[in-house]
Each structure stands twice: as C-alpha cells, then as structure tokens.
C-alpha cells in the first residue's frame, strides 16, 4: 500500500529557505511537512566556516548552523521526511508530490525551496574522473589530497573559499580562472592573494582533465590560454570545479513559469509563483543574492504568503458553504 502524508503546508527542501519557512509555518499552526531531499540541510552542509550569518560573533560551521535550524523547526512542530521527490502534480489542490519510493505527499500549499546544485564544465574527461581526482566540493573531498598538488577552477566566492580551505591539506594550490579578475568578495580576494601556498593562473580554461596512474586517477589538467590559445599542462592530483550552481528546477519544467536561466519566477516582492498556492524561496528563485540569510528571509516570506493564501481560501470556502 502506498504511504500518504497530508498537511496544510508542504515544504520541498531543507536548506535555510525550507527550514525558515518550516519554523514560521509551524508557529502559525500549519503543521508543515518538510521533504528534505538527498542533501538534508542544503548547500551549507558542504562548507566549513560561516562568518556572515547574523547572530554569531564568532565563526560558526555550516553543518552546525543547519543542525540548529532543523532542531528549531522540529522543536516548534515541523515534521522532517527523508525522501527525494521525483514527480509532481500541481494541476489541482491539494498539490501532490511523489517520492522516489512511491510515497505520496500532499499539501494545501506547497513551498518550493530546492536550492541549487554545483555546475560542472561538462567535459568528457571530467565525467570520467569524477570521484577519482575531480570533485565539486573541497570541504567534502579535500582531505583525500593531503600533501598533494591541487587546483580549483572558478573565480567566485566558492572558488576562493575552496582554494583557501585546501591549504589546510595541500602546500601547493592553484586557482585557475578564465578572466583576469575575480568576482569573489574583496576580503576573500585579499586572503587569497596573501596566501603563500596559493598561486593564480589568469585567463586559462580547462580543456581536458588528464588521467593516468594505477589505479587510474587525475594526474594533470590541460589548460588553454584564453588570450593566446596556447596549451599547457598543470601537474595536479586534485581538481575542484567551483564555477557556480544551477537552480534545482528540473521537476518544475512545464508546471511552473521559469525564467531564461531556469530559476522559478515569482511576483516581484512576494514568493508567489505562476500557480496560486505554490510559493518559491531561496536560491531556486534568487539568482542575484544567493546567501543563507537571504534564503532564510525569503523562506519566512513564503510561510507568511502561505498563511495568507490559506486564510483567504478558508474564508472563500466558508462563504460558499
Ligand atoms: P539549498 O541550501 O541549496 O537547499 C536545497 C534543499 O532542497 C536541499 O535540502 C535538497 O536536499 C533539497 N532538494 C532539492 N531537490 C529536491 C527534491 N527533488 N526532493 C526533495 N528535496 C530536494 N551563504 C552565506 O550566506 N554564507 C556563506 O558563508 C556561504 N558559504 C557557502 C559555501 C559553499 C561551498 C556554497 C556552495 C554556498 C555557500 N553559501 C553561503 C550560499 C548558501 O549556502 C545558499 O545561498 C543557501 O544554502 C541557499 O539555501 P536554500 O535553502 O535556498 O537551498
Ligand atoms: P558565482 O559567483 O556564480 O561564480 C562562478 C565563477 O565561476 C565565476 O568566476 C565564473 O567566471 C566562473 N565560471 C562559470 N562558468 C565557467 C566555466 N564554464 N568555465 C570556467 N569558469 C566558469 O558562483 P559561486 O562562487 O559558487 O557563488 C554562488 C553564490 O553563493 C554567490 O552569490 C556567492 O556570493 C555565494 N557564496 C557566498 C559565500 C560567502 O558569502 N562567504 C561563499 C560561497 C558562495 P566569470 O567570473 O568569468 O563569470
């Protein structure tokens, strides 16, 4: 028999956006169910130091912050479900989501907080060496490259933080960037440039990850100079791709309005999507700010928008009765 879980407020995603929506929704008596997905706690569980989430004078750890958010949400009455949603039906209310084991979740409103996923370079050699030298998460895999030469590809906050983090394990870190300036925050750039164990290769693109050794793994990266076209080889055993994220919206194609980059479209100043009763918050609808605190802020908005929507729907139903 198929298990079904029904609630007033169904939340998809357990990063800062989903858990903040859960805290507000639970305190409003909506008994939210949070479907956590394969990354409970979201992106912040893949990082270490968090220095810009308000409320903490001292540096805190990303995974710890997310544990606290989940504990707070559960404490006020939200229910966590460890499942990955593979199918949705938004054609009528209550909305129905189906998990990968067939479990059905239904909600009078749906809050989508599925965030974003790491982007890859999409080279055949990258695919071939994923998990054998090529990674998209230094904090997860950096430990395996203790004492080895490593490189990070990208020029944003993530790339710079990953390069700095990798110096805990490696004395030889190279940052490879396709332009001649970084888009990372100035404070991070300063730390990067000052670090004696990090060098930066400007105007370089990865043309190929090079495999070798026994057992086979990454032995080097072939780079193309974007100005001269010249090819060169960098000897490294770890290559960390840190070129940003794509919104996790595959499930919603054809069901909700998405923008040209695939982010869920919301009405300006709200979390309302193109389907009444479906709200979106966090990185899945925000391609500009993409911060834990803004995700949490829009999560709060989604819960308040949900509450208002349900109150109006209840009022209309009672008038019609
Ligand atoms: P996410 O955190 O991406 O969470 C998405 C959730 O949706 C996950 O729980 C996932 O399991 C779930 N999900 C997705 N698809 C499904 C599905 N089909 N079914 C069920 N569940 C699903 N921001 C800062 O403010 N400060 C920092 O120091 C900082 N450091 C960062 C370091 C790194 C390495 C990275 C990658 C990001 C960092 N950020 C930082 C950005 C911050 O992590 C994000 O802005 C924030 O996590 C977005 O929250 P979110 O809730 O929108 O989505
Ligand atoms: P990002 O800011 O989008 O930066 C992506 C970087 O990768 C850019 O430098 C980009 O180059 C490069 N790039 C993109 N596609 C590429 C390709 N195909 N080949 C080579 N290089 C490519 O992504 P992010 O660094 O992951 O950050 C995402 C969000 O999370 C940001 O809003 C960021 O502020 C936030 N974040 C915050 C913190 C923090 O506050 N401490 C830490 C991490 C992340 P160009 O510059 O040439 O476009």
């Amino acid at each position: 028999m198929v298990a079904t879980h029904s609630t007033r407020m169904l939340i998809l995603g357990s990063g800062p956006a989903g858990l903040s929506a859960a805290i507000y929704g639970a305190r409003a008596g909506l008994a939210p169910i949070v479907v956590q997905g394969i990354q409970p706690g979201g992106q912040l569980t893949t990082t270490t130091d968090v220095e810009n989430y308000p409320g903490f004078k001292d540096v805190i750890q990303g995974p710890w912050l997310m544990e606290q958010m989940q504990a707070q949400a559960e404490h006020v009455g939200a229910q966590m479900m460890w499942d990955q949603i593979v199918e949705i039906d938004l054609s009528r209310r209550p909305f129905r989501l189906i998990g990968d084991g067939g479990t059905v979740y239904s909600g009078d409103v749906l809050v989508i907080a599925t965030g974003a996923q790491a982007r890859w370079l999409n080279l055949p050699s990258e695919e071939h060496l994923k998990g054998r030298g090529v990674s998209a998460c230094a904090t997860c895999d950096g430990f395996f490259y203790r004492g080895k030469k490593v490189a990070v590809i990208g020029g944003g906050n993530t790339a710079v933080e990953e390069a700095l983090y990798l110096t805990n394990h490696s004395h030889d870190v190279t940052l490879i960037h396709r332009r001649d300036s970084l888009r990372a925050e100035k404070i991070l750039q300063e730390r990067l440039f000052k670090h004696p164990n990090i060098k930066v290769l400007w105007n370089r693109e990865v043309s190929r990850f090079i495999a070798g050794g026994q057992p086979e793994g990454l032995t080097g990266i072939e780079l193309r100079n974007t100005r001269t076209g010249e090819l060169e080889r960098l000897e490294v055993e770890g290559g960390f791709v840190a070129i940003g994220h794509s919104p996790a919206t595959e499930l919603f194609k054809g069901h909700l309005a998405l923008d040209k980059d695939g982010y869920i479209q919301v009405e300006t100043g709200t979390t309302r999507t193109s389907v009444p009763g479906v709200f979106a918050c966090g990185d899945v609808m925000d391609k500009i700010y993409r911060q834990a605190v803004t995700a949490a802020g829009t999560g709060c908005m989604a819960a308040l928008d949900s509450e208002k929507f349900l109150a109006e729907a209840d009022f209309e139903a009672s008038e019609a009765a």
Side-chain angles (χ1 to χ4, degrees):
M1 202 169 115
V2 175
T4 302
H5 301 277
S6 302
T7 172
R8 294 284 271 162
M9 185 192 201
L10 185 57
I11 300 174
L12 186 50
S14 56
L19 292 178
S20 301
I23 292 165
Y24 275 78
R27 297 191 76 249
L30 300 179
I33 289 179
V34 180
V35 185
Q36 294 182 290
I38 50 174
Q39 192 178 55
Q43 292 170 61
L44 275 190
T45 60
T46 67
T47 192
T48 50
D49 294 356
V50 175
E51 298 179 58
N52 51 13
Y53 197 83
F56 306 95
K57 176 173 68 61
D58 298 320
V59 175
I60 53 168
Q61 299 298 301
W64 177 83
L65 177 63
M66 298 318 300
E67 273 168 32
Q68 293 298 311
M69 273 192 214
Q70 180 176 329
Q72 187 180 1
E74 287 176 321
H75 178 71
V76 291
Q79 194 184 346
M80 302 292 148
M81 295 285 174
W82 197 31
D83 204 347
Q84 177 77 357
I85 297 303
V86 292
E87 211 180 308
I88 60 171
D89 179 1
L90 307 184
S91 61
R92 72 184 77 88
R93 287 205 308 127
F95 304 115
R96 276 162 57 90
L97 307 185
I98 298 165
D100 66 0
T103 304
V104 175
Y105 302 88
S106 87
D108 293 335
V109 290
L110 172 65
V111 172
I112 299 172
T114 47
Q117 288 159 355
R119 225 184 272 148
W120 293 90
L121 295 165
N122 295 324
L123 298 166
S125 54
E126 175 187 64
E127 193 53 41
H128 181 66
L129 287 167
K130 266 184 202 170
R132 288 185 294 154
V134 177
S135 162
C137 180
T139 45
C140 319
D141 300 331
F143 185 79
F144 303 121
Y145 301 93
R146 196 161 272 264
K148 298 180 176 167
K149 293 184 181 180
V150 295
V152 177
I153 299 109
N157 276 345
T158 304
V160 172
E161 283 195 339
E162 299 224 322
L164 288 164
Y165 172 78
L166 284 166
T167 60
N168 294 322
H169 302 297
S170 166
H171 59 281
D172 191 330
V173 179
T174 305
L175 185 83
I176 298 162
H177 185 39
R178 62 182 176 183
R179 294 188 295 120
D180 61 2
S181 65
L182 301 173
R183 70 169 64 225
E185 284 169 38
K186 286 283 170 279
I187 186 165
L188 287 174
Q189 293 197 28
E190 278 163 24
R191 282 183 211 162
L192 181 95
F193 296 141
K194 256 197 245 157
H195 203 291
N197 296 342
I198 303 178
K199 66 174 180 293
V200 182
L201 286 178
W202 302 106
N203 304 308
R204 308 290 211 289
E205 274 175 353
V206 174
S207 52
R208 187 165 64 97
F209 290 99
I210 302 162
Q214 200 56 257
E216 193 185 49
L218 183 76
T219 53
I221 302 180
E222 186 182 80
L223 299 171
R224 194 181 67 84
N225 188 309
T226 55
R227 296 205 163 150
T228 62
E230 211 173 293
L231 292 178
E232 71 195 285
R233 182 182 167 133
L234 180 72
E235 305 291 334
V236 286
E237 289 178 69
F240 293 87
V241 179
I243 60 167
H245 289 76
S246 304
T249 51
E250 203 51 44
L251 264 181
F252 312 114
K253 283 184 184 157
H255 299 273
L256 286 176
L258 307 180
D259 74 7
K260 65 174 181 26
D261 299 316
Y263 288 80
I264 296 178
Q265 269 180 344
V266 293
E267 266 175 59
T268 309
T270 77
T271 59
R272 290 199 290 264
T273 68
S274 55
V275 173
V278 178
F279 304 92
C281 51
D283 282 12
V284 77
M285 48 71 89
D286 165 26
K287 62 180 166 199
I288 300 173
Y289 304 105
R290 292 179 297 179
Q291 297 295 302
V293 67
T294 48
T298 54
C300 158
M301 286 167 65
L304 298 181
D305 287 344
S306 298
E307 225 182 303
K308 185 162 177 278
F309 177 89
L310 287 170
E312 284 168 6
D314 290 349
F315 179 73
E316 278 166 25
S318 69
E319 288 285 284

